[in-house]
Amino acid sequence: MYELGDVVEMKKPHACQTNRWEIVRMGMDIKIKCINCQHIVMMPRREFDKKMKKILEKKSEEK
């Protein structure tokens, strides 16, 4: 399952031809930020679940 700070790949690439997104907010809606151009997209969790392909990097756990 994905968490805040994870880097994910979506089914369709962004207009800047990058397909790496960082999850920056989670709740009823999920906000993701493009790693390349810093564009932010907010979408409902159900839509995000449909459009997410896979988790590329898990957030490093700092203790």
Side-chain angles (χ1 to χ4, degrees):
M1 196 68 180
Y2 47 85
E3 298 174 4
L4 191 65
D6 288 354
V7 176
V8 297
E9 180 181 343
M10 303 304 276
K11 289 183 180 175
K12 293 184 180 178
H14 188 237
C16 69
Q17 302 306 312
T18 302
N19 203 357
R20 293 173 59 85
W21 298 83
E22 179 184 358
I23 300 173
V24 293
R25 181 181 181 275
M26 288 181 67
M28 286 290 292
D29 296 322
I30 304 232
K31 190 183 284 188
I32 55 176
K33 180 173 70 173
C34 179
I35 299 288
N36 188 38
C37 68
Q38 308 301 310
H39 181 79
I40 293 177
V41 177
M42 192 169 195
M43 64 182 75
R45 187 180 287 260
R46 175 177 261 160
E47 184 182 335
F48 178 80
D49 289 341
K50 287 182 194 173
K51 292 184 176 182
M52 186 184 81
K53 193 171 184 181
K54 63 183 174 182
I55 299 170
L56 298 173
E57 299 173 20
K58 293 295 278 178
K59 179 183 167 197
S60 58
E61 306 247 347
E62 298 171 5
K63 294 183 179 181

